[in-house]
């Protein structure tokens, strides 16, 4: 061993600090699992009709990507998710914040929300198909309904938790109604609104997958359902993988958005 | 009591405030002349905050009335309040907090820039203009609250125990700072404290309140001239005597408040 190397103890990879070690471990563990899966599938220990080898799924993924169908389905699902998010989220935000500020409106609307909230959103799908038909409207409605509740409820709670003194300050400095909404209620409730947005997006993702399985001829939900009907199991895994990836990406994006919108949280 | 041709800035006449069965303020009458620095002292729970909130228009009197007659200059607000405890918006930077009043009344950007810049400079927090309140110490936050009220350029400043949460050194520095800023324009100030020293250091007149229900127990004039040097003042024998006298008055009330609490609790 050369002298130079021996005087730099940090050079040893085993003396990494705890955080980077944990990061590497959490990166390696899924890879190890995939490797194990691959080996077991090839050895025939796993039934590849149900659990095709990861390499097999990857090659199906590549084929589907080059043919363009995967991209199309992904874009369609994401468009529905985005439109549904806006259609459900914007009214939810406004209604939630206004309910938080105004006790009369709260007394009016809160019972409606409390009564309809426990209904599993997926069970409304047949009704949505009946009323809105098989087109885009029913898919967007399903996403919107899933997004609506968590955002409305969290916005309301967020506003109600704002310390009264801030409203007094607004009043004393002659803030008008719109000013109070814009400079106090909205930013004050933003941490909880973001929690609602994250829950809502998760809910929307679940519901778009379900809605596309039943009443659609496109989208990732349809892709997965179609794979079941044609017993193309590796395609099913590709669909699941892409949905998981979207969920993961959205989480990262929302975390960044939160840092931008709530820069004042310690 | 007040003579001369200047109408009092605030005239409070037989004002009472009830919360259900509780009488928070009982028949308070006082004239506060324009430009006076009035300090209110009283045991906690005697209705000081309630009185200030009524003057600020955040609460209504139950009985009686108060009138505010100030030269109504175009666009200038009647009063601005420095609230008891932390009241800076945590979601706004120091600059945005200090600019809040001016923005709410639609002041031109150039004026906001000049005035807010001036007061941040006066409180020595120019470097922290872009910081959020949670990044500041308690004393710094309190300075920003004061800058927020001053920058709004009100006729009357209402200050509710702005320094009570601070340690002794910070308190002294901020009292000096407040007096320096106040000397610039000599606005009418109603200042609440439970510290007798602070009352004498800052006030032109001191109003001592009784324990609940809050009444005017005594009104005293502080004999020291202006501008005042806080450090010099503390060495003055007259200062010590005045503090002592006020303490004796206040002590009766504090004892009474205490025995009330024991009876209730
Ligand atoms: N909104 C309210 N509702 C009921 N009681 C109140 C309210 N505000 C104040 N009080 C009561 O009025 C009394 C005076 O309170 P406050 O003005 O805060 O006293 P101080 O500021 O002198 O400590 C206290 O007993 C307090 O509990
Ligand atoms: Mg008080």
């Amino acid at each position: 061993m050369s002298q130079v190397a021996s005087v730099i103890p940090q050079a040893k990879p085993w003396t990494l600090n705890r955080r980077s070690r944990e990061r590497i471990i959490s990166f390696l563990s899924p890879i190890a699992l995939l490797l194990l899966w691959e080996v077991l599938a090839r050895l025939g220990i796993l039934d590849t009709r149900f659990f095709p080898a990861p390499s097999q799924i990857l090659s199906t993924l590549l084929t589907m990507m080059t043919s363009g169908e995967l991209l199309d389905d992904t874009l369609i699902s994401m468009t529905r998710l985005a439109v549904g998010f806006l259609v459900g989220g914007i009214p939810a935000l406004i209604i939630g914040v206004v309910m938080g500020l105004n006790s009369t409106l709260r007394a009016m609307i809160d019972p409606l929300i409390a009564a309809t909230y426990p209904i599993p959103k997926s069970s409304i799908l047949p009704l949505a198909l009946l009323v809105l038909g098989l087109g885009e409207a029913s898919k967007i409605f399903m996403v919107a309904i899933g997004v609506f509740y968590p955002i409305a409820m969290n916005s309301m709670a967020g506003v109600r938790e704002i310390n009264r003194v801030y409203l007094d300050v607004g009043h004393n400095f002659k803030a008008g109604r719109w000013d109070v909404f814009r400079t106090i209620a909205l930013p004050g409730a933003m941490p909880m609104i973001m929690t609602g947005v994250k829950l809502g997006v998760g809910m929307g993702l679940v519901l778009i997958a379900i809605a596309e399985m039943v009443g659609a001829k496109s989208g990732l939900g349809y892709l997965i359902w179609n794979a079941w009907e044609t017993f193309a199991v590796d395609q099913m895994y590709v669909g699941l993988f892409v949905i998981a990836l979207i969920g993961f990406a959205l989480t990262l994006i929302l975390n960044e958005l939160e840092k931008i919108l709530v820069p004042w949280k310690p | 009591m007040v003579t001369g041709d200047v109408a009092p800035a605030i005239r409070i006449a037989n004002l009472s405030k009830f919360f259900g069965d509780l009488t928070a303020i009982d028949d308070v009458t006082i004239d506060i002349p324009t430009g006076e620095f009035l300090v209110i002292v009283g045991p906690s729970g005697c209705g000081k905050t309630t009185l200030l909130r009524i003057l600020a228009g955040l609460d209504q009197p139950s009985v009686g009335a108060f009138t505010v007659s100030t030269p109504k200059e175009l666009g200038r607000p009647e009063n601005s309040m420095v609230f008891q405890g932390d009241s800076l918006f945590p979601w706004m930077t120091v600059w945005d907090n200090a600019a809040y009043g001016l923005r709410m009344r639609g002041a031109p950007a150039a004026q906001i820039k000049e005035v807010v810049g001036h007061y941040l400079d006066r409180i020595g927090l120019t470097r922290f203009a872009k910081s959020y309140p949670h990044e500041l110490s308690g004393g710094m936050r309190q300075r920003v609250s004061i800058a927020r009220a001053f920058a709004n350029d009100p006729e009357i400043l209402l200050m509710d125990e702005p320094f009570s949460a601070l340690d002794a050194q910070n308190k002294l520095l901020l009292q000096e700072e407040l007096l320096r800023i106040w000397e610039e324009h000599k606005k009418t100030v109603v200042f609440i404290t439970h510290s007798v020293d602070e009352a004498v250091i800052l006030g032109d007149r001191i109003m001592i309140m009784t324990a609940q229900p809050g009444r005017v127990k005594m009104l005293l004039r502080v004999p020291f001239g202006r501008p005042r040097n806080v450090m010099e003042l503390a060495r003055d024998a007259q200062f010590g005597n005045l503090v002592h006298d006020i303490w004796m008055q206040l002590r009766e009330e504090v004892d009474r408040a205490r025995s009330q609490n024991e009876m209730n609790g």
Side-chain angles (χ1 to χ4, degrees):
Chain A
M1 192 185 280
S2 85
Q3 261 203 304
V4 179
S6 61
V7 296
I8 307 171
Q10 298 96 308
K12 282 201 279 179
W14 314 116
T15 56
L16 287 169
N17 67 40
R18 203 166 53 91
R19 268 188 72 177
S20 27
R21 210 169 53 217
E22 279 171 4
R23 206 170 293 162
I24 290 176
I25 288 172
S26 49
F27 184 71
L28 286 181
S29 72
I31 292 186
L33 188 70
L34 283 177
L35 276 177
L36 184 68
W37 180 355
E38 180 78 34
V39 170
L40 293 180
R42 291 207 178 187
L43 291 177
I45 298 171
L46 276 177
D47 187 341
T48 49
R49 287 174 309 167
F50 305 135
F51 305 104
S55 57
Q56 171 66 36
I57 298 170
L58 185 67
S59 94
T60 309
L61 173 78
L62 293 175
T63 322
M64 289 169 76
M65 262 165 66
T66 39
S67 77
E69 59 176 320
L70 184 59
L71 190 65
D72 286 349
D73 281 327
T74 306
L75 283 180
I76 286 169
S77 290
M78 291 196 52
T79 307
R80 287 169 179 157
L81 188 63
V83 175
F85 174 77
L86 295 178
V87 168
I90 292 173
L93 179 70
I94 294 170
I95 291 172
V97 172
V98 169
M99 272 168 67
L101 287 173
N102 185 313
S103 57
T104 312
L105 282 171
R106 185 162 65 243
M108 257 167 63
I109 305 172
D110 204 23
L112 299 179
I113 290 186
T116 51
Y117 174 65
I119 302 171
K121 306 300 165 286
S122 47
S123 67
I124 308 172
L125 181 57
L127 187 63
L129 291 175
L130 190 67
V131 176
L132 298 169
L134 287 167
E136 289 305 295
S138 55
K139 321 280 159 324
I140 288 166
F141 173 78
M142 288 307 290
V143 175
I145 205 93
V147 166
F148 180 86
Y149 284 89
I151 295 188
M153 291 163 85
N154 278 280
S155 304
M156 178 180 80
V159 171
R160 295 199 68 193
E161 271 174 30
I162 294 174
N163 192 331
R164 257 207 63 153
V165 76
Y166 301 129
L167 297 173
D168 284 341
V169 172
H171 200 139
N172 188 237
F173 285 89
K174 300 286 173 282
R177 266 165 193 275
W178 168 242
D179 291 322
V180 169
F181 181 90
R182 187 175 58 86
T183 66
I184 300 172
L186 199 56
M190 195 49 84
M192 285 207 64
I193 291 174
M194 280 310 297
T195 306
V197 166
K198 287 180 191 173
L199 290 170
V201 166
M203 197 56 157
L205 203 55
V206 169
L207 287 173
I208 192 60
I210 293 175
E212 287 175 345
M213 283 181 190
V214 178
K217 287 277 168 278
S218 59
L220 291 169
Y222 167 74
L223 188 156
I224 293 167
W225 189 257
N226 193 46
W228 138 255
E229 287 188 326
T230 59
F231 210 71
V233 180
D234 40 1
Q235 290 193 18
M236 193 185 292
Y237 277 96
V238 169
L240 292 175
F241 173 72
V242 174
I243 286 193
L245 205 62
I246 291 173
F248 181 65
L250 286 175
T251 306
L252 291 185
I253 291 169
L254 289 174
N255 284 342
E256 283 311 305
L257 185 68
E258 187 172 28
K259 279 185 204 150
I260 294 168
L261 290 178
V262 192
W264 48 277
K265 273 274 140 151
Chain B
M1 215 178 317
V2 179
T3 52
D5 45 7
V6 189
I10 307 172
R11 168 163 274 171
I12 303 173
N14 306 105
L15 190 147
S16 299
K17 176 72 180 177
F18 313 123
F19 293 112
D21 290 340
L22 184 139
T23 305
I25 301 174
D26 187 21
D27 199 30
V28 166
T29 297
I30 184 177
D31 281 352
I32 306 168
T34 303
E36 180 172 75
F37 199 125
L38 177 80
V39 180
I40 301 176
V41 287
S44 82
C46 77
K48 304 182 295 294
T49 296
T50 305
L51 182 60
L52 214 61
R53 288 177 59 86
I54 289 174
L55 294 180
L58 296 171
D59 260 322
Q60 304 305 316
S62 309
V63 176
F66 71 97
T67 48
V68 176
S69 43
T70 49
K72 289 277 181 289
E73 258 180 68
L74 208 64
R76 270 184 73 190
E78 188 182 280
N79 72 74
S80 297
M81 180 132 160
V82 178
F83 288 81
Q84 187 169 4
D86 262 335
S87 71
L88 291 181
F89 299 121
W91 49 87
M92 289 184 196
T93 60
V94 164
W95 181 278
D96 290 339
N97 265 292
Y100 192 71
L102 289 170
R103 288 207 178 125
M104 286 306 107
R105 58 194 173 92
Q111 187 195 349
I112 295 177
K113 199 157 177 245
E114 190 200 320
V115 174
V116 174
H118 170 74
Y119 282 107
L120 287 192
D121 185 40
R122 297 293 277 150
I123 60 167
L125 289 181
T126 307
R127 271 191 318 126
F128 293 90
K130 290 197 172 73
S131 303
Y132 286 92
H134 77 87
E135 298 167 302
L136 309 181
S137 69
M140 289 154 92
R141 286 203 289 270
Q142 217 45 40
R143 267 139 79 187
V144 180
S145 304
I146 291 169
R148 177 170 71 183
F150 271 91
N152 199 29
D153 192 23
E155 304 285 348
I156 297 165
L157 275 161
L158 305 171
M159 306 180 80
D160 192 356
E161 305 200 20
F163 305 145
S164 61
L166 304 181
D167 60 68
Q169 291 93 333
N170 256 309
K171 195 181 278 200
L172 215 63
L173 291 175
L174 283 193
Q175 287 163 351
E176 276 184 336
E177 231 159 54
L178 172 63
L179 284 181
R180 272 209 314 274
I181 299 174
W182 179 74
E183 292 283 351
E184 285 179 10
H185 299 289
K186 295 237 165 106
K187 291 170 187 302
T188 312
V189 178
V190 181
F191 186 105
I192 290 177
T193 181
H194 55 238
S195 152
V196 177
D197 290 27
E198 184 164 89
V200 176
I201 287 170
L202 298 176
D204 290 321
R205 264 198 314 163
I206 297 172
M207 172 174 136
I208 304 172
M209 286 180 76
T210 62
Q212 200 180 89
R215 299 194 191 95
V216 182
K217 183 180 175 79
M218 185 182 254
L219 270 167
L220 302 152
R221 189 160 294 284
V222 179
F224 307 115
R226 308 247 184 211
R228 287 182 192 166
N229 182 323
V230 175
M231 291 301 179
E232 291 288 303
L233 208 60
R235 293 203 315 208
D236 198 312
Q238 219 184 339
F239 176 85
N241 289 337
L242 194 55
V243 168
H244 176 81
D245 292 349
I246 296 171
W247 238 125
M248 294 323 279
Q249 295 291 333
L250 204 54
R251 195 173 161 163
E252 282 176 30
E253 299 308 320
V254 175
D255 284 344
R256 216 154 62 79
R258 224 189 243 167
S259 61
Q260 276 173 3
N261 281 342
E262 271 159 21
M263 266 162 46
N264 297 338

